[in-house]
Every structure is written in C-alpha cells, then in structure tokens.
Amino acid sequence: MPTDSFKFSQSEKRRVGELLSALRTPVEATIHPDSWLMNEAFAAEFQSRLLSQHVFLKSILAEASFEAAFVASASVAGMATIPAISGQRFWDVEVAGRKLSLKSTKAKSLKLKELHISKLTEAAWIQDCRTARMRMERVHDLFRHYVSTVSSIIQLRYFQNTNSYELVEVPVSLLSQVMELTVSEFAAENSTIGIPVGKSPPDFTLKLDRSDAKITLAKISKECCIVHGTWKLPSDKPAVQLKPDS
C-alpha cells in the first residue's frame, strides 16, 4: 500500500484525535452476567458505537442509529442476523433465531422503574370498531399473531438527567395475558386496561388509541423485564441534537 495513504491532513488528524478521545471516554458500564445477548464482543462493540455517536457526533443514540449499532454489534459478536424485509410488521431484525422489535426513547418523562412503548404497532381498525366485542376480537387476534411472531421487544432508553443509557428486553410472553381479557374490558372506544386485570400495580397497561390508530403499552413494570446493560457517561459530555443544517 502506498505510504501516502497513511498521511493525514491537519483536519484529519484533529478528527482522528477527537474520535479516539471519544472512544476512550470513561463509562460506568454494567452488563447482565447471564445475558443471552450481550457477550463480551457485543458489549464492547455496542459501547464503542454508543460513544462515537454520543460523544464524537454529539447526538443521542436512538432510532436508526440505535438499530444500526445493535445489528452491527450482534454481527461482530458472531450472531446470525437477518434484517426484516421492507414493510415487515412487528419485528425489525432476527438475531440468533429470535425475531426482535427494536425500540428507543429519549423522552424527558422516562421513569426508572417503568417502561413506555408509545406505538407497539399500528391498528387502523380501531377507528372502525364500534362495539366492545369487535374491539376484543381484533385485539385478541392482533396479540395472538404478535406473540407467535416476535420473540422480544428490545428498548434502548436514554435518561437525560443522568446522561445514561439502559438496554431493556420486554419478554413478549408478558403480552400473552392480553388474550385473557373479556369483552367487558373493551367498553370504551379508547380503552385503557391494566393487565392482569385487578392487579395493583399491573404488569403493564394496554391502551387503544383511537385518534392515532395505534396500540400503546404503558407502565410496563421493569421487574417483568431484563436489563441487559447500562452505560453512564460523564455529565460534562452531554449529547446535543444537531440541527438539520448544522
């Protein structure tokens, strides 16, 4: 290889130095010792990508950047990865034989002990269901299909007040409880149902959002979930959202 390929301009040297500094940012990382997902290779790759996004690019790891980092980390870890085809419902990537729905959130209203999934899936049929029985039957059918297709929901949560990330798995088996709901729980068009019914606090709350035609899962107890990893970054290196033209 020509030696010229190893020469850097001053600007390139600055960028390389900044990236290296970002990758070496001290992080308080905690990885679940029995995680099926985060082996040593996955954890190392995911942390480096998190730091390059958050510290070097100064942008919160979320949405498309999270999905890219997750899939790349799984691949580096030696796991077979199969992205969902365009238009695929419910799941985003298959990892080691598990179909996963990838979610992320940086909402200021995040609660430490509860998760919130604002849109589990679209449900345009909600607007056409005029009776409680119709709503119950469509919800049962949707969740029966969802539970039989998806293995887990993986959500990356960013807490602005502590400048920290948390990767949490919501087992889809938890959602199978929806099939136990009876017609009386669906009396309201915008039904909000604590599940299991009668438990206080519930494992999660199911919301049928008629105005936005979607299914929302709220107040998901973190005790019912698996925290695969957490990463706390120094508070003096916060991420900022870049403007489109900046």
Side-chain angles (χ1 to χ4, degrees):
M1 184 179 292
T3 55
D4 287 348
S5 63
F6 293 100
K7 293 182 179 179
F8 296 96
S9 68
Q10 290 303 309
S11 293
E12 289 171 336
K13 288 180 180 178
R14 284 192 290 272
R15 295 298 82 72
V16 170
E18 289 168 0
L19 177 57
L20 188 59
S21 176
L23 294 175
R24 293 178 176 176
T25 299
V27 179
E28 295 179 25
T30 302
I31 306 301
H32 193 300
D34 298 320
S35 172
W36 66 266
L37 174 67
M38 303 204 74
N39 59 24
E40 185 176 350
F42 189 113
E45 183 70 15
F46 190 79
Q47 179 172 306
S48 72
R49 288 176 177 271
L50 187 155
L51 291 173
S52 62
Q53 178 78 26
H54 188 103
V55 182
F56 179 65
L57 296 179
K58 301 189 184 303
S59 177
I60 294 169
L61 186 68
E63 298 175 352
S65 60
F66 161 56
E67 291 189 19
F70 184 93
V71 172
S73 299
S75 181
V76 167
M79 301 177 183
T81 60
I82 304 174
I85 61 174
S86 178
Q88 175 68 55
R89 290 192 75 192
F90 303 151
W91 60 279
D92 301 293
V93 63
E94 182 177 326
V95 174
R98 305 182 189 214
K99 291 182 173 65
L100 306 177
S101 172
L102 302 182
K103 306 285 186 182
S104 62
T105 178
K106 53 181 185 287
K108 292 182 179 180
S109 59
L110 286 182
K111 293 180 172 58
L112 186 62
K113 296 183 179 181
E114 293 179 351
L115 282 74
H116 184 91
I117 299 175
S118 62
K119 185 170 76 172
L120 177 71
T121 182
E122 295 178 349
W125 48 263
I126 292 176
Q127 298 176 341
D128 298 323
C129 289
R130 299 300 180 182
T131 69
R133 181 163 296 279
M134 287 177 66
R135 284 187 284 275
M136 181 194 72
E137 290 174 350
R138 293 302 296 265
V139 167
H140 282 188
D141 183 63
L142 172 70
F143 276 83
R144 190 178 297 110
H145 188 192
Y146 193 96
V147 169
S148 66
T149 303
V150 181
S151 300
S152 294
I153 302 166
I154 305 289
Q155 186 179 61
L156 182 69
R157 309 205 296 163
Y158 173 68
F159 294 87
Q160 184 175 344
N161 60 333
T162 57
N163 202 29
S164 61
Y165 290 85
E166 179 181 74
L167 191 68
V168 187
E169 176 181 1
V170 181
V172 167
S173 57
L174 186 70
L175 307 185
S176 62
Q177 299 177 93
V178 170
M179 269 78 84
E180 300 174 8
L181 297 176
T182 62
V183 68
S184 62
E185 273 80 59
F186 294 92
E189 289 189 342
N190 288 306
S191 299
T192 298
I193 309 165
I195 300 175
V197 174
K199 182 178 180 181
S200 182
D203 292 343
F204 66 96
T205 298
L206 172 69
K207 293 185 176 183
L208 274 59
D209 190 333
R210 188 169 183 272
S211 60
D212 289 336
K214 66 179 183 179
I215 300 290
T216 293
L217 301 182
K219 298 182 179 179
I220 306 169
S221 172
K222 200 162 76 172
E223 292 184 356
C224 298
C225 304
I226 302 167
V227 180
H228 286 282
T230 61
W231 299 266
K232 188 176 187 305
L233 281 63
S235 57
D236 61 342
K237 289 191 177 183
V240 296
Q241 295 302 300
L242 301 180
K243 296 179 181 179
D245 297 330
S246 61

